[in-house]
Amino acid sequence: MSAARQVVVEADGGSRGNPGPAGYGAVVIDPATGEPLAETAEYIGVATNNVAEYRGLIAGLTAAKALFPEAGDALRVHVRMDSKLVVEQMSGRWKIKHPDMKPLAARAAAVLPPSSVTYEWIPRAQNKHADRLANEAMDAGRDGRQWEASASTAVLDAPARTPSTLPPVQGPPGDQVAGAAKARAALAAARGAADTLFPVPEPGVPDTTAPAAPAPGQPAGTASEKAGAPQQQPSGTPQTGWSSAPDLGAPATLVLLRHGETALTPEKRFSGSGGTDPELSATGRGQAERAAEHFAALGTVQEIVSSPLRRCRETAAAVAGRLGLDVRIDEGLRETDFGAWEGLTFGEVRERYADDLTAWLASPDTAPTGGGESFAEVAERVAAARDRIVARYAGRTVLLVTHVTPIKTLVRLALGAPPEALFRMELSAASISTIAHYGDGNASVRLLNDTSHLR
């Protein structure tokens, strides 16, 4: 009978554009010492984050199996990933609803008996080793080559691991590994076998495990995207959608979520940052939960940034809880300070401050009565927040949970529209809009005021 052995696998995947150039990384770890036994990473062409994460899981499980072929069914693998979606789906707690994920999950489940593998979600900060491997693979793909283990420095980013921070060893102490040289040799053979089962596309060739690209001219935000199915574009097609535009690389994709309803929302009262800080109503909390379900199914959001106001923080927390992400606060995303108009309806403001309201509607430089903010002032701080976020999260998909004026301002600036465009956009509670920002400063509005996830 084979001796029981246990290893830990940490895996990750990423896509610069989602979909865009993608790669995965995985490391096999000895739980008795915390030392890495083997690493693997690959550039996989154009794919989504979820596809890359599943590919990382498959590669990590395959590598673990190859390290201990003599263990057979006695091998136990504890998987640690920062992908809430993959961990919950492979653990059987979340249904795998999307057809593009089902074959990948089936491949992962087929590597080892399901009873031999356990799953744990960990924060991204604890998954730096695999994350760095995935980024090395994407860097290699960008340069037209494949990742090489001999050139990897990912281990330098690895968090400190000790036996106390890892699952306990289930097997004879000191008999878990045959040494790093044997581990890497076994992994090389495993990588060759994995390439046969899951061939890696040449750089620039779309990953066949991801769905087909939309037809030319098809806009982003189609029904399949809203249903959560990952989409990709043909290799070489710029993300702006203009076939003659230069390749600007993966954009920073800002997904703009307006907070859910408060008690003031249905009454259309001015609710900014200069008065009360209302909480979400029961309706608003339900909207936040449906938004969370939508983003969990979609699997594209990598970071969350929120306005500091309570209604946004509550909405962001609902999404973050489902995705297993942290929420950063950016003061620049707060709503306009409406001064003395806070809590009033438009009609009440017209009745009390008719001249001020007329001046405010006529000029973006005019502030509301009582020391509020002008739209010009709001645009300045929102643009500064945008620039910070785009620089920090280049190539990533970021959920911004904010308010009517900041979202309309971001859309207006992306379109190069005049200030009066703010009065010509509808923006419902808990609606979703999307803007892609490119390295040359240009932007592409992909979605506006989508509420399909609330129905």
Side-chain angles (χ1 to χ4, degrees), residues 62-114:
T62 302
K65 182 178 181 180
L67 283 171
F68 301 106
E70 74 284 355
D73 292 346
L75 179 64
R76 299 291 180 266
V77 178
H78 185 72
V79 176
R80 291 154 50 97
M81 298 181 69
D82 61 54
S83 171
K84 190 84 167 179
L85 181 80
V86 174
V87 167
E88 295 298 321
Q89 288 183 345
M90 292 303 298
S91 298
R93 291 185 289 269
W94 287 6
K95 291 183 179 180
I96 305 174
K97 298 180 180 179
H98 307 301
D100 302 297
M101 296 299 106
K102 290 181 179 179
L104 291 169
R107 291 177 181 180
V111 177
L112 292 166

Side-chain angles (χ1 to χ4, degrees), residues 280-299:
L280 294 179
S281 64
T283 297
R285 289 191 291 273
Q287 291 170 335
E289 288 300 327
R290 286 193 288 277
E293 292 171 3
H294 169 76
F295 289 118
L298 200 59

Side-chain angles (χ1 to χ4, degrees), residues 18-274:
N18 201 29
Y24 66 73
V27 56
V28 183
I29 302 162
D30 177 7
T33 64
E35 292 298 316
L37 306 178
E39 299 172 317
T40 183
E42 295 287 351
Y43 171 67
I44 60 173
V46 175
T48 64
N49 286 319
N50 289 159
V51 167
E53 288 164 346
Y54 262 110
R55 290 286 297 271
L57 170 62
I58 292 166
L61 292 173
T62 302
K65 182 178 181 180
L67 283 171
F68 301 106
E70 74 284 355
D73 292 346
L75 179 64
R76 299 291 180 266
V77 178
H78 185 72
V79 176
R80 291 154 50 97
M81 298 181 69
D82 61 54
S83 171
K84 190 84 167 179
L85 181 80
V86 174
V87 167
E88 295 298 321
Q89 288 183 345
M90 292 303 298
S91 298
R93 291 185 289 269
W94 287 6
K95 291 183 179 180
I96 305 174
K97 298 180 180 179
H98 307 301
D100 302 297
M101 296 299 106
K102 290 181 179 179
L104 291 169
R107 291 177 181 180
V111 177
L112 292 166
S115 60
S116 299
V117 186
T118 55
Y119 292 88
E120 175 190 1
W121 176 84
I122 57 175
R124 182 170 289 116
Q126 295 180 25
N127 204 29
K128 288 184 177 179
H129 194 157
D131 176 78
R132 181 58 191 156
L133 287 169
N135 276 283
E136 285 183 348
M138 286 183 276
D139 290 343
R142 177 196 61 203
D143 299 335
R145 56 185 175 82
Q146 282 291 344
W147 177 85
E148 295 180 4
S150 60
S152 175
T153 60
V155 70
L156 300 178
D157 284 343
R161 303 187 189 96
T162 64
S164 64
T165 63
L166 296 171
V169 177
Q170 298 176 5
D175 192 29
Q176 287 286 312
V177 297
K182 178 181 177 182
R184 289 193 181 277
L187 181 58
R191 185 178 294 134
D195 287 346
T196 301
L197 291 172
F198 318 115
V200 177
E202 292 298 321
V205 178
D207 182 3
T208 56
T209 62
Q218 178 180 339
T222 58
S224 60
E225 180 180 306
K226 294 170 185 175
Q231 294 187 342
Q232 64 184 42
Q233 289 182 291
S235 173
T237 301
Q239 296 288 330
T240 57
W242 295 96
S243 59
S244 60
D247 184 359
L248 303 176
T253 302
L254 306 186
V255 180
L256 313 174
L257 175 63
R258 186 189 170 194
H259 61 80
E261 282 190 10
T262 72
L264 301 180
T265 307
E267 298 180 5
K268 299 186 181 299
R269 295 184 178 275
F270 282 94
S271 179
S273 57

